[in-house]
Amino acid sequence: MAEEKMEEAASPSAAATPFQLQFDKPIPFQIKLAEWNPEKDLLAMVTDDSKVVLHRFNWQRLWTIYPGKCITSICWSPDGKIVALGTEDGLVLLHDVENGKMLRRIKSHDVAIVCLNWAEDEPQSRADKDGMLSYEDRTTRFFPPAPVIPRIGGLSSGDTGLADDNEESIQEFSNTACQRFNILCSGDKDGCICFSIFGIFPVGKIVCLSGNLHQLVLLCSGKLIDSDNLSHGNHNTSGLHCLHLDTSIFFNRKNELHQISQQASNIQDLVEVVRASISMMAKQWSSAMNLFNEKFSALPSLIAAHGMGSSSEDEFMSLLFGTRTSPALHQFLVSSLGEAALKRIAKAIDSAGRELRVVVSDHLQPAVEIISFRLAELRGLSRWRSRFQNIGLDEKLIDSVTENIGMLVVQVERFSRVAAAVLYLFQNFFSWVLKCVKILLSEPIDQVPAANSELVVLFLKFLLHKDPIKQLLDANQSFECDLDTVRHLEQLVVLGGFTDTQFLDKTLMKQFDELDESLEEAFAMPFTTISSQIHCQELLPLYPVMSSVDLSSTRTLTSVSFYKDEDSQTSRSSFSLTDYICFKIPDGSLNLKNCICVIKDFSNPSTSRPSLSGFLLHIPDEYECIDLSLYKVDSQIVVLLSERSCSDGPGRSYIVMLHTKDFSFVPLSRIFSSNKYSIQELSALELQLDTDYGKKVRSIPHAVSTPLAVSASRGVACVFSSRRQALVYILDEDEDEDSDEDDASDME
């Protein structure tokens, strides 16, 4: 894994000759996913065994990671700093482009994530071009940098959903104040779409989100439930369909959503720090106490073996107040325990105590205090009902969370005091016992060593068989408060600030669990509210199939993108976007064979919008469409073709660039009043690979396979041949006819 920092890769030189690259090891693996970085000359690839590899444009390998899960989708953040991976079990993994380390693990779905799309709010005017959202995060004024997950003595805090290292990257990633508003869309195979602001805070669940965040064009497969409206003719409702969802709430409320996500995402990070801190303290203290209990558990057995009816507490009390030691206690102190073992136990308890203090002071307490401040900020926003209530920031729920965090602040202070008292009693007890052991090893005790008898008695009564620290760190434990304390708390309720008079009966872990539950409920409200405001505007059946099995058993070749309208690009005030949908129709569907279809203006929300239109393109029968992609330069389409197998040798392949302006778009009429269209009325045009297209064809002397990776920002396309070669082509240059056999450079 490369340790060097990423540098801004240079733009590819305008050479006609494509770069051809060959894997340097004869490992039988295949690239199943590939995606170019939108800002740098970097290509991320996913192999068939779900390894993720990042290469520069010159094919220097930067890093390789193996997430340990089956990767089913990939995309980049708009700024190119994060690569998002969708997994088979519904996780979204966010990795740092610098070194491949994981920044965040998000459970957005329950089944495989089949598509990811990360869209950024594009400036609508020249004045907005370099502008960021003006919301200021005031937390940095009053608090030092937020604490991170503690790491002590090699102990793991468990599964927190955050990376265990790379702290600088995590803090930069969590700082959304300087980011342009963006949304990560993830879709699973069951048809659920999740929207996450800045890729981390989920705000909706119902893919290609438009650059102005107004529309979502969604391609989905399955059977339409409302089949009556498609009963005309021989329509089969099982197939591929296109949906237009109105997501204008993201644009209309982006300032409010930014403020909520800014606070909520940081709160969620800090909650994981609290969770990890409590878990770490429980493990550290449990390890020390296991050693203590293991050694001191021998005393009751020795007392029983000597036929005595006393307890361990009675034996130590007798020793403390001058009575001669019993044979059982003498054997325990001299033989079973000994000076060395006692020192080892005392050191373990003392070390655990120091670690507890470090975790509380450096991680737990700062995290709880910052959460409290950020929740106070959210509480203030929730009272601005006209702006925040309609996006789900509920005032009562936030008030409940605010009270819970206040109670947690009290519990942390309580834990600190209890831990300090317990450790002091342990220290005093071990000091006294150690003196007794030393005297017993030299001669029988005639005089008891001096000790603070009150502290030793407190230890024997409350700590010899009990563990207050463990109780506070266990959610299943509880405490009983005396009546005077309960009455005092009831009187304090009148002053306001809290309503729970039973919070002292709860442990630290129990109070944290209640905070976690109330946070989950409060943050689920924007999720539910925004989801209810995302509506389906249009439905377009693209093509039917005989059964849904036909769709699941084959890879669907589709591409969706948005382009700025040429007429509006020069406008100083705003611009509009036109959607393009490109897909290959399976042979036999719609009585067509070897055809691709292009449709535009499906999601244009304007009342004066141009009619939905499209064209069909028939590919010559001797070629097979391997993959296709819309190219964000003048509404072009890149099609990857391969010659069908022939007996006289391996076939060739071609990259074909098509300009949509060279084809006549035919209007598609509405066939029913339920916003459903038909593309059967389109006549297929013939694709001629002759001189008319000679300047737009790249010849490849090998058979190729999916995927086709196209970089709109760099103007290049990467294809993978059957010989395990990766070839990169400059799309906007003419091909040198004499350069079929190109120089190769190894991928290291």
Side-chain angles (χ1 to χ4, degrees):
M1 198 176 287
E3 297 295 336
E4 60 178 319
K5 290 289 184 181
M6 299 289 301
E7 300 174 356
E8 183 68 30
S11 299
S13 58
T17 303
F19 296 91
Q20 177 179 336
L21 304 114
Q22 185 173 1
F23 290 102
D24 58 340
K25 295 182 180 180
I27 301 176
F29 70 85
Q30 181 180 356
I31 301 296
K32 65 177 181 179
L33 298 170
E35 191 78 16
W36 286 98
N37 187 298
E39 294 294 330
K40 302 177 182 179
D41 291 326
L42 303 171
L43 180 65
M45 297 172 288
V46 180
T47 65
D48 56 354
D49 59 351
S50 290
K51 290 180 181 177
V52 184
V53 186
L54 185 69
H55 280 265
R56 291 186 187 272
F57 186 80
N58 61 3
W59 291 97
Q60 174 193 4
R61 183 180 298 185
L62 295 177
W63 47 256
T64 301
I65 60 173
Y66 183 60
K69 298 178 180 294
C70 179
I71 305 300
T72 52
S73 54
I74 184 174
C75 80
W76 287 93
S77 62
D79 59 8
K81 295 181 179 180
I82 301 169
V83 59
L85 306 173
T87 69
E88 192 175 36
D89 56 357
L91 287 173
V92 175
L93 310 178
L94 304 181
H95 289 263
D96 188 0
V97 67
E98 295 281 348
N99 44 35
K101 292 182 179 179
M102 189 184 67
L103 299 174
R104 190 71 64 93
R105 178 172 53 248
I106 306 168
K107 182 65 174 177
S108 302
H109 302 266
D110 296 324
V111 295
I113 299 174
V114 295
C115 63
L116 290 169
N117 177 258
W118 208 326
E120 185 177 60
D121 177 34
E122 295 184 1
Q124 286 199 315
S125 66
R126 188 166 295 180
D128 297 335
K129 192 168 184 179
D130 297 322
M132 298 293 177
L133 295 174
S134 59
Y135 174 64
E136 178 191 4
D137 183 8
R138 301 190 302 167
T139 310
T140 55
R141 290 189 189 180
F142 308 104
F143 294 93
V148 296
I149 293 175
R151 295 190 298 271
I152 298 175
L155 286 180
S156 172
S157 56
D159 185 5
T160 64
L162 296 176
D164 292 330
D165 46 19
N166 205 26
E167 296 170 3
E168 294 181 0
S169 298
I170 296 172
Q171 291 176 358
E172 181 181 357
F173 174 59
S174 299
N175 181 18
T176 59
C178 298
Q179 296 184 32
R180 195 176 299 282
F181 188 75
N182 61 77
I183 298 178
L184 174 62
C185 307
S186 55
D188 63 38
K189 69 176 185 179
D190 285 349
C192 291
I193 306 295
C194 184
F195 303 94
S196 300
I197 297 178
F198 302 115
I200 52 179
F201 182 61
V203 292
K205 191 170 185 178
I206 355 203
V207 175
C208 180
L209 191 64
S210 64
N212 58 13
L213 307 180
H214 277 288
Q215 302 106 26
L216 174 73
V217 173
L218 173 65
L219 298 178
C220 58
S221 59
K223 186 173 183 178
L224 295 177
I225 298 176
D226 184 12
S227 59
D228 293 336
N229 292 326
L230 290 178
S231 60
H232 179 73
N234 294 323
H235 282 283
N236 190 322
T237 56
S238 292
L240 186 69
H241 315 290
C242 188
L243 301 177
H244 166 215
L245 303 182
D246 179 10
T247 57
S248 57
I249 187 174
F250 293 138
F251 178 81
N252 297 333
R253 294 294 183 178
K254 63 182 179 182
N255 291 323
E256 292 87 344
L257 290 171
H258 180 272
Q259 294 177 60
I260 293 176
S261 62
Q262 168 76 32
Q263 298 295 351
S265 59
N266 281 278
I267 289 172
Q268 289 174 333
D269 285 352
L270 292 168
V271 165
E272 295 304 322
V273 173
V274 175
R275 190 192 316 278
S277 299
I278 295 176
S279 174
M280 185 71 72
M281 291 192 301
K283 291 179 181 179
Q284 192 78 2
W285 183 251
S286 176
S287 177
M289 288 303 296
N290 286 340
L291 180 61
F292 173 81
N293 293 327
E294 178 185 351
K295 293 297 183 180
F296 276 78
S297 62
L299 179 56
S301 301
L302 291 175
I303 294 174
H306 285 79
M308 302 169 59
S310 59
S311 64
S312 300
E313 179 184 343
D314 295 335
E315 292 297 322
F316 280 112
M317 284 288 192
S318 298
L319 178 62
L320 177 64
F321 292 108
T323 306
R324 297 182 63 87
T325 57
S326 67
L329 182 59
H330 186 281
Q331 183 180 351
F332 170 72
L333 294 176
V334 174
S335 302
S336 301
L337 186 61
E339 182 179 355
L342 183 61
K343 288 182 177 180
R344 187 167 64 253
I345 298 171
K347 183 178 180 181
I349 296 292
D350 182 65
S351 176
R354 288 198 304 269
E355 299 296 357
L356 291 185
R357 287 192 291 268
V358 169
V359 172
V360 171
S361 62
D362 294 350
H363 302 275
L364 179 60
Q365 190 166 2
V368 171
E369 291 174 352
I370 297 177
I371 291 174
S372 179
F373 181 85
R374 290 190 177 277
L375 282 172
E377 295 282 89
L378 281 180
R379 188 182 186 188
L381 295 177
S382 68
R383 296 187 176 184
W384 195 350
R385 299 181 184 89
S386 60
R387 292 192 63 180
F388 291 92
Q389 190 171 20
N390 62 350
I391 59 173
L393 192 62
D394 187 271
E395 183 178 356
K396 291 184 178 180
L397 292 178
I398 296 298
D399 286 345
S400 175
V401 178
T402 305
E403 178 176 339
N404 282 329
I405 189 61
M407 297 299 99
L408 187 60
V409 171
V410 175
Q411 291 285 4
V412 171
E413 178 64 24
R414 176 197 198 185
F415 177 84
S416 299
R417 296 190 179 193
V418 169
V422 168
L423 291 170
Y424 183 65
L425 291 177
F426 261 110
Q427 182 181 11
N428 186 81
F429 175 74
F430 285 137
S431 176
W432 173 70
V433 173
L434 182 60
K435 292 178 182 179
C436 293
V437 171
K438 288 181 178 180
I439 295 176
L440 286 172
L441 289 174
S442 59
E443 59 184 12
I445 290 184
D446 292 326
Q447 184 178 1
V448 180
N452 190 328
S453 58
E454 292 183 359
L455 295 179
V456 175
V457 170
L458 286 174
F459 177 88
L460 295 175
K461 286 187 175 182
F462 298 105
L463 297 182
L464 190 60
H465 302 295
K466 296 179 181 179
D467 189 350
I469 293 180
K470 180 181 178 181
Q471 285 181 283
L472 286 170
L473 297 175
D474 188 349
N476 297 320
Q477 298 289 333
S478 62
F479 297 94
E480 293 184 5
C481 294
D482 58 85
L483 294 177
D484 291 338
T485 302
V486 173
R487 293 192 189 99
H488 185 59
L489 288 174
E490 291 174 348
Q491 294 172 357
L492 290 177
V493 170
V494 180
L495 300 177
F498 71 99
T499 58
D500 184 10
T501 60
Q502 306 296 322
F503 73 93
L504 287 180
D505 295 345
K506 303 171 186 176
T507 65
L508 172 65
M509 190 63 196
K510 178 64 176 178
Q511 191 67 59
F512 170 73
D513 286 344
E514 291 188 2
L515 171 68
D516 197 22
E517 292 174 3
S518 61
L519 277 172
E520 184 177 354
E521 183 181 7
F523 291 161
M525 188 58 67
F527 184 94
T528 305
T529 304
I530 293 176
S531 296
S532 65
Q533 299 182 50
I534 299 176
H535 305 290
C536 180
Q537 298 291 99
E538 303 280 354
L539 169 64
L540 175 65
L542 298 180
Y543 58 76
V545 294
M546 295 302 297
S547 67
S548 58
V549 178
D550 296 338
L551 283 170
S552 60
S553 60
T554 59
R555 182 174 181 268
T556 305
L557 303 183
T558 58
S559 182
V560 182
S561 190
F562 287 83
Y563 301 101
K564 292 182 180 179
D565 289 339
E566 294 182 359
D567 296 337
S568 63
Q569 286 185 14
T570 57
S571 173
R572 295 184 180 180
S573 59
S574 62
F575 62 86
S576 60
L577 297 172
T578 299
D579 61 276
Y580 281 77
I581 305 166
C582 183
F583 56 94
K584 183 182 182 299
I585 301 175
D587 291 347
S589 180
L590 300 176
N591 297 321
L592 297 173
K593 182 179 180 181
N594 217 24
C595 287
I596 62 175
C597 181
V598 180
I599 295 174
K600 71 174 183 177
D601 290 315
F602 173 57
S603 64
N604 195 326
S606 174
T607 56
S608 59
R609 67 186 182 192
S611 60
L612 179 72
S613 59
F615 66 84
L616 282 174
L617 191 62
H618 178 260
I619 300 172
D621 293 337
E622 58 268 26
Y623 299 99
E624 178 184 5
C625 180
I626 302 300
D627 207 346
L628 50 82
S629 176
L630 286 161
Y631 183 44
K632 295 183 180 180
V633 178
D634 298 330
S635 306
Q636 300 177 60
I637 306 170
V638 180
V639 182
L640 183 61
L641 303 178
S642 181
E643 290 183 346
R644 298 187 184 273
S645 59
C646 52
S647 58
D648 56 350
R652 300 177 66 86
S653 301
Y654 301 90
I655 297 178
V656 183
M657 290 184 61
L658 306 174
H659 289 265
T660 57
K661 63 183 179 181
D662 294 336
F663 299 91
S664 298
F665 282 83
V666 178
L668 291 173
S669 60
R670 218 180 273 267
I671 61 172
F672 293 102
S673 59
S674 55
N675 296 337
K676 297 171 183 174
Y677 301 88
S678 173
I679 62 173
Q680 285 184 297
E681 55 196 84
L682 297 176
S683 299
L685 305 173
E686 292 292 333
L687 174 63
Q688 301 293 334
L689 296 178
D690 53 14
T691 55
D692 293 338
Y693 295 94
K695 294 184 179 181
K696 305 169 187 175
V697 176
R698 300 291 183 267
S699 177
I700 306 172
H702 314 293
V704 296
S705 61
T706 57
L708 167 67
V710 177
S711 172
S713 61
R714 303 305 182 188
V716 296
C718 180
V719 298
F720 302 91
S721 74
S722 57
R723 299 181 178 182
R724 298 194 194 96
Q725 291 176 318
L727 301 99
V728 180
Y729 287 83
I730 309 297
L731 292 177
D732 297 327
E733 295 294 329
D734 297 338
E735 181 184 19
D736 186 351
E737 297 295 337
D738 298 329
S739 62
D740 284 346
E741 299 298 331
D742 303 302
D743 296 334
S745 60
D746 289 340
M747 293 175 65
E748 299 177 355

